Amino acid sequence: MLADVLVRAVETAVGAHLRKRDFDRRLRAATERAVDRFRDRHLSVDRELTLFLLDDAPVLDLPSVGEALRQLVLYPARSEDQASQDFAQVLRRFAPAVNEERVDRALQELVRCLRDELQHLPELQPSFALMYQQQQLEVLRATARPASPSQSDRSSRHNLPHRTYHRLVGRATELELVLKRMRPEDRTWVVVIDGIGGVGKTSLALEAAYQLIDGDPGQRQFDAAIWVSAKQTLLTAHGINTRQPELAVLRDLFTVMGSVLGRGELIQMPFREQRAVIGELLSGDTRVLLVLDNLETVDDDEIAAFLRDLPQPTKAIVTSRHRLDVAYSLRLSGLPVDEAAQLIAAQADQRDLVLSQAEASALTRKTGGIPLAIVWSLSLMNLGHSVESVLRRLGSGHSDIAAFCFRESVRALEGTEALWVLAAIAMFEDPVDRTLLGRAAGLGEDVVARDDGIQTLIQLSLIDLRAGMFTLLPLTRTYVERLLDEQPDLRDRVRTAWLTTMLEVAAQYRLPDPSWRDLTRLRSLGPHLHVAYGWARDSGQVHHALALAGAVLADLDAVGRWDDLLATCAEVESYASSTAADDLVLHTGWYQNWIYAQRGEFDQAWLALDRVSHLPTTPEERLRHQVCCAQTCRREGRHKEAAAHLDQAQALVPDLTTPAASGLVAHLTFEAGKLARDLGDWDAAERAFRETSRVFDPEAVTRALADGETPTYDPEWAVRVLGNLGVVEHRRDNLASASALLQRAVDFTREHGSASNLATLLIRLADVQLDQGRVHEAAQTLGEATRLAGRLGMREEERAGERLTLKHRALGGAAAPEGGSGSTSTG
């Protein structure tokens, strides 16, 4: 059998110490899998030759064939010509009619299958490294004499390792960029491909190198390619294996360059003479491409200096986990979702694995699209691990892939402020800006320490920066979380700083009132506040959870997640009741009343108010409660009762003593204006809204925000004034004025307001646009409004949307009738 032949050949090459039963069994199994895969793949390509090789002739059992295959599989950097000829010569003895092209095609597929299986055996990893080093010595001896011009013209000279992939999946944009930078007319001389371990730097550099030396002498970009690797570790399905790096100092690079370029005597020269000869070689007629792999493991500064001063026309591609400053830098991150899915499908097919769409999606998510993590995971599955166990291992932070990608880089951060920053990023599940990150890391206002730490993490490829926001890949996050578990002092220090920061942020949004609250800022802070609230709640720190709750409720309201808001209100109300936090219980009741009234669920709205009716004690709280009652009555159509509640609220005004009194009075006046609006008393409504605007001044808010200053009151209240003045103008048939006011309110609310107010304003604007005859614009506005109202469950806005849809159909694109026929009174 072929397995027996290869076992004997491999043992001869790598030593008798590997003659162990377990290795023999795994080698035999890997070889048999490769043969089966070859049968499956090549049967449809060349059925006759495939059956002949595997079934009809003992060709693959011959020792000479086994030796030829060993040479092809285990000498990844050696020319295949001799071994291929040996294989073909034996085959022609049995099948003289088979042409050379068919043999080559079959052989390439068989070697590909064998190499793909055998490369995962940890015992053979040192063998690959050993064979490569031996090949270097053989090349050195073989090229001691300069090649003749005729030899040089026939083929490019290189020592590139074999591709470890059948086809490079993804990276098309990055590959095109590297190829462009390597063109003679481009002034870039070094491209540094950086990123975390396993992200595909080596594969991209290798593919680029092959494409740059392919083609006829007059077409290819380079005449010679020199590959030198400083890689010290290899990741297999069985763990992380060490290897002997080929590059440690500049002399190592010179030695390999001399061997490939036909100057083997360089190895005997003094270093100064080596440098002079190399300078002549690289500045001559031969166009040379240097590829230095894993340069971050090299401590020799002379190599970086050498790269900075490369003579023309030589260029270099460098891969590194650390960002270097020698030239153009290309940062690699995880593959996009679609390309990661393609890689998973291709690798699973090679291993005869079947993954469901859900499993493949989970693998993409857990690996963050890191190619090596995907290949490693599928290799584990191929060895018998379940999909579930592999996914669990990826999420634990204890996997070999996490250690391979991050251990050395993170180890370099010990005792530095950069480690605090890295630990702080792990506290945030969503991208975070540098200001909040620095505070959460415990660096306060020390922007220098913060930015130095961020720069270090970027250089080490440990964090991603996109649109000014910082985040971690899933694998990085799991590794850092594991690190924090192992270093409780670091974890407690950073978690304390993070929680303190989130409590300070939440204090700005604790209770709903008319004072200034930056809802634009809240949209980016919201996800972080939810994480902090959930952590405090789950950790039993109820007092911290309640301190964060007001901001969480404000965010849910602003983004229009009303179902979540109601659920969180119930949860917060329960915690607050158990700790006698009456002010928070009161405000959750008002929140629930607001939402249920907006949805037309008035029984629930009144229940929410009744539950907290005994809690208002201060004049301010009692006034606000009466306004809530008035608003609910007005929405329900009980206008007299609404007026009575407003009168009771007005009676409390003389007792107000807080600085926010003017805002509360304006709120009361605003609700009185809406009652007048719903009753059709447009003059009274306008007077109330104009009075309200003296406090919630739209012009003052606009100026303050434009000047980068803090407005006195929440901008959304000013927008509500604009929107209701627009309704008054609409009812008076002042369509141009109504349209301008409502459009301004809509634009302002998109940036500074909440989803519910935007839905109401869009309904009003669509109504005006229909009356203006702007039927197409109205249809777009109405579509957005009804989608928002439907998501929020705003019944009154939904009904208004239905009426306007009928109105739109009736107009049918014809000119609008003179005057207005407004039919909406939402809000």
Side-chain angles (χ1 to χ4, degrees):
M1 293 291 294
L2 175 60
D4 296 317
V5 175
L6 273 179
V7 165
R8 291 193 295 270
V10 168
E11 287 180 341
T12 300
V14 301
H17 65 283
L18 290 181
R19 295 190 182 113
K20 300 175 182 177
R21 180 176 301 173
D22 182 58
F23 172 65
D24 181 88
R25 177 182 58 78
R26 286 186 287 106
L27 175 60
R28 187 183 306 278
T31 304
E32 290 176 351
R33 286 197 302 271
V35 171
D36 289 341
R37 180 178 296 176
F38 170 71
R39 185 194 304 273
D40 293 340
R41 288 178 177 276
H42 208 65
L43 204 60
S44 60
V45 178
D46 194 332
R47 180 180 182 84
E48 180 184 7
L49 183 55
T50 303
L51 294 177
F52 178 79
L53 283 171
L54 299 180
D55 300 330
D56 298 336
V59 177
L60 296 181
D61 290 337
L62 295 177
S64 58
V65 170
E67 173 61 21
L69 289 174
R70 181 183 70 81
Q71 293 280 344
L72 290 166
V73 172
L74 296 182
Y75 280 82
R78 171 179 289 180
S79 171
E80 300 181 357
D81 294 345
Q82 187 59 50
S84 299
Q85 291 174 9
D86 293 343
F87 183 93
Q89 184 178 2
V90 174
L91 183 59
R92 280 195 291 270
R93 285 165 39 198
F94 292 87
V98 176
N99 64 45
E100 184 176 347
E101 181 180 354
R102 292 173 63 192
V103 173
D104 287 344
R105 189 165 57 227
L107 177 60
Q108 289 175 9
E109 183 62 37
L110 178 58
V111 169
R112 186 180 297 115
C113 293
L114 285 166
R115 188 176 292 138
D116 188 64
E117 291 293 343
L118 295 181
Q119 68 180 341
H120 300 297
L121 299 179
E123 291 88 347
L124 295 186
Q125 293 294 341
S127 174
F128 275 92
L130 179 64
M131 293 300 106
Y132 184 71
Q133 294 173 32
Q134 185 175 344
Q135 183 268 343
Q136 291 291 338
L137 295 175
E138 292 173 356
V139 169
L140 184 60
R141 289 193 294 268
T143 60
R145 296 181 302 276
S148 66
S150 60
Q151 290 175 319
S152 179
D153 290 342
R154 280 196 297 269
S155 63
S156 58
R157 290 169 287 174
H158 70 85
N159 66 336
L160 299 177
H162 286 303
R163 294 176 171 98
T164 58
Y165 48 87
H166 299 164
R167 178 179 64 86
L168 186 64
V169 176
R171 305 300 188 204
T173 301
E174 294 88 345
L175 177 60
E176 180 59 31
L177 181 58
V178 175
L179 297 178
K180 178 182 177 182
R181 294 292 181 180
M182 290 293 103
R183 291 172 186 163
E185 63 271 17
D186 194 292
R187 300 183 65 181
T188 302
W189 70 96
V190 179
V191 169
V192 179
I193 304 172
D194 64 74
I196 63 169
V199 79
K201 303 182 296 294
T202 299
S203 295
L204 177 59
L206 183 61
E207 183 63 29
Y210 266 113
Q211 293 198 24
L212 289 167
I213 63 169
D214 278 347
D216 296 330
Q219 297 177 336
R220 58 178 179 251
Q221 299 294 324
F222 293 93
D223 304 309
I226 298 165
W227 179 281
V228 188
S229 178
K231 189 170 292 186
Q232 298 176 346
T233 55
L234 294 169
L235 178 67
T236 73
H238 297 280
I240 301 174
N241 294 328
T242 59
R243 72 187 293 273
Q244 183 65 35
E246 299 146 12
L247 178 63
V249 294
L250 186 57
R251 181 184 288 271
D252 296 332
L253 176 58
F254 287 172
T255 299
V256 178
M257 292 169 65
S259 69
V260 177
L261 297 176
R263 297 297 296 270
E265 72 274 12
L266 268 174
I267 196 172
Q268 305 295 335
M269 292 181 180
F271 181 66
R272 181 176 297 180
E273 294 182 21
Q274 281 186 336
R275 184 186 288 273
V277 173
I278 289 297
E280 294 176 3
L281 289 173
L282 298 186
S283 59
D285 295 333
T286 301
R287 295 166 299 177
V288 178
L289 172 68
L290 300 179
V291 187
L292 279 61
D293 190 32
N294 273 71
L295 194 60
E296 79 277 357
T297 62
V298 178
D299 296 325
D300 188 0
D301 292 337
E302 287 190 321
I303 293 180
F306 173 76
L307 290 173
R308 291 190 187 97
D309 297 326
L310 277 179
Q312 295 181 354
T314 302
K315 295 197 175 192
I317 300 173
V318 175
T319 74
S320 174
R321 298 189 185 192
H322 305 171
R323 179 158 289 182
L324 306 176
D325 63 353
V326 293
Y328 183 82
S329 183
L330 173 62
R331 166 62 54 89
L332 290 191
S333 56
L335 292 171
V337 172
D338 57 337
E339 294 181 0
Q342 294 175 29
L343 180 60
I344 290 172
Q347 292 289 323
D349 181 60
Q350 289 181 28
R351 292 167 172 78
D352 296 324
L353 295 170
V354 178
L355 273 67
S356 67
Q357 184 174 354
E359 291 170 338
S361 297
L363 183 57
T364 299
R365 187 172 59 255
K366 290 280 189 179
T367 59
I370 301 299
L372 184 62
I374 291 173
V375 174
W376 175 82
S377 300
L378 293 171
S379 297
L380 285 180
M381 296 175 197
N382 196 43
L383 291 175
H385 294 266
S386 68
V387 177
E388 181 183 6
S389 69
V390 171
L391 293 176
R392 188 182 304 117
R393 184 178 299 194
L394 284 170
S396 70
H398 292 267
S399 62
D400 290 328
I401 183 66
F404 181 82
C405 292
F406 309 114
R407 183 168 56 196
E408 294 304 320
S409 295
V410 173
R411 185 178 295 168
L413 301 177
E414 288 295 337
T416 70
E417 292 164 334
L419 186 59
W420 302 353
V421 178
L422 181 64
I425 296 180
M427 300 290 170
F428 297 94
E429 293 183 3
D430 288 85
V432 57
D433 63 53
R434 69 175 62 235
T435 300
L436 192 62
L437 178 57
R439 292 169 60 190
L443 297 175
E445 302 304 318
D446 189 348
V447 296
V448 174
R450 176 199 69 194
D451 290 349
D452 284 349
I454 289 173
Q455 180 182 1
T456 298
L457 297 176
I458 290 175
Q459 288 176 333
L460 293 174
S461 306
L462 288 173
I463 61 175
D464 281 346
L465 170 61
R466 295 182 183 178
M469 307 291 278
F470 301 93
T471 188
L472 298 174
L473 287 170
L475 277 177
T476 320
R477 180 177 300 281
T478 58
Y479 186 79
V480 175
E481 289 172 349
R482 170 193 170 186
L483 176 71
L484 294 178
D485 288 340
E486 295 172 347
Q487 299 187 27
D489 290 343
L490 173 64
R491 177 196 61 206
D492 294 344
R493 181 196 182 284
V494 174
R495 181 168 289 160
T496 298
W498 163 74
L499 183 59
T500 300
T501 299
M502 299 317 301
L503 288 170
E504 292 171 352
V505 169
Q508 305 171 42
Y509 304 96
R510 187 168 184 270
L511 299 175
D513 59 51
S515 60
W516 161 253
R517 297 191 302 167
D518 187 351
L519 294 186
T520 304
R521 174 70 170 154
L522 184 60
R523 290 175 186 174
S524 63
L525 295 172
H528 308 318
L529 291 164
H530 288 283
V531 170
Y533 169 78
W535 180 86
R537 177 198 60 204
D538 297 341
S539 300
Q541 300 189 30
V542 175
H543 61 295
H544 283 148
L546 293 178
L548 293 159
V552 170
L553 297 176
D555 175 62
L556 291 172
D557 184 28
V559 299
R561 290 169 53 188
W562 278 5
D563 290 336
D564 292 335
L565 177 56
L566 290 173
T568 307
C569 277
E571 182 178 78
V572 171
E573 183 179 352
S574 174
Y575 290 140
S577 298
S578 66
T579 58
D582 290 347
D583 60 336
L584 199 51
V585 174
L586 182 58
H587 283 84
T588 58
W590 290 341
Y591 259 126
Q592 292 172 83
N593 164 260
W594 158 256
I595 295 171
Y596 284 128
Q598 287 275 58
R599 288 180 164 180
E601 300 174 15
F602 295 109
D603 289 343
Q604 292 292 333
W606 285 112
L607 282 175
L609 285 181
D610 290 344
R611 281 202 310 273
V612 300
S613 61
H614 64 289
L615 293 177
T617 56
T618 66
E620 289 78 14
E621 290 174 343
R622 289 160 55 199
L623 184 150
R624 190 186 297 277
H625 193 77
Q626 289 298 328
V627 171
C628 286
C629 292
Q631 181 174 258
T632 307
C633 287
R634 175 181 59 80
R635 284 186 170 278
E636 204 173 0
R638 295 156 53 187
H639 296 142
K640 289 185 179 180
E641 294 176 58
H645 283 293
L646 289 177
D647 288 342
Q648 294 179 55
Q650 186 66 44
L652 294 167
V653 170
D655 298 328
L656 300 179
T657 59
T658 66
S662 61
L664 291 174
V665 173
H667 189 189
L668 168 61
T669 305
F670 187 58
E671 181 57 36
K674 288 196 285 186
L675 178 60
R677 179 202 68 191
D678 288 0
L679 290 170
D681 188 346
W682 309 121
D683 292 339
E686 182 181 10
R687 284 195 301 273
F689 295 144
R690 296 292 181 189
E691 182 70 22
T692 303
S693 70
R694 296 178 183 178
V695 177
F696 302 145
D697 183 356
E699 303 302 329
V701 167
T702 302
R703 286 195 302 271
L705 291 174
D707 295 339
E709 299 175 354
T710 299
T712 304
Y713 291 105
D714 183 349
E716 193 160 29
W717 283 98
V719 172
R720 289 170 179 166
V721 171
L722 289 175
N724 279 279
L725 285 172
V727 172
V728 172
E729 292 297 289
H730 187 194
R731 298 304 182 269
R732 290 171 168 171
D733 291 340
N734 297 326
L735 299 184
S737 176
S739 176
L741 286 166
L742 287 169
Q743 187 64 61
R744 181 180 171 193
V746 165
D747 294 341
F748 205 93
T749 303
R750 288 191 191 281
E751 185 174 356
H752 300 287
S754 64
S756 59
N757 278 339
L758 180 59
T760 299
L761 289 168
L762 288 170
I763 286 288
R764 293 171 177 171
L765 179 59
D767 197 2
V768 174
Q769 288 172 336
L770 285 173
D771 287 346
Q772 288 180 307
R774 296 155 59 189
V775 178
H776 179 67
E777 292 177 63
Q780 293 180 318
T781 305
L782 184 58
E784 183 182 359
T786 53
R787 285 192 297 273
L788 262 178
R791 177 166 66 83
L792 293 165
M794 298 173 72
R795 303 290 181 263
E796 190 171 345
E797 276 72 9
E798 287 182 302
R799 287 193 292 269
E802 291 171 358
R803 291 194 298 271
L804 291 180
T805 299
L806 294 175
K807 183 176 178 179
H808 175 264
R809 291 173 181 170
L811 289 173
E818 293 185 5
S821 57
S823 59
T824 62
S825 59
T826 60

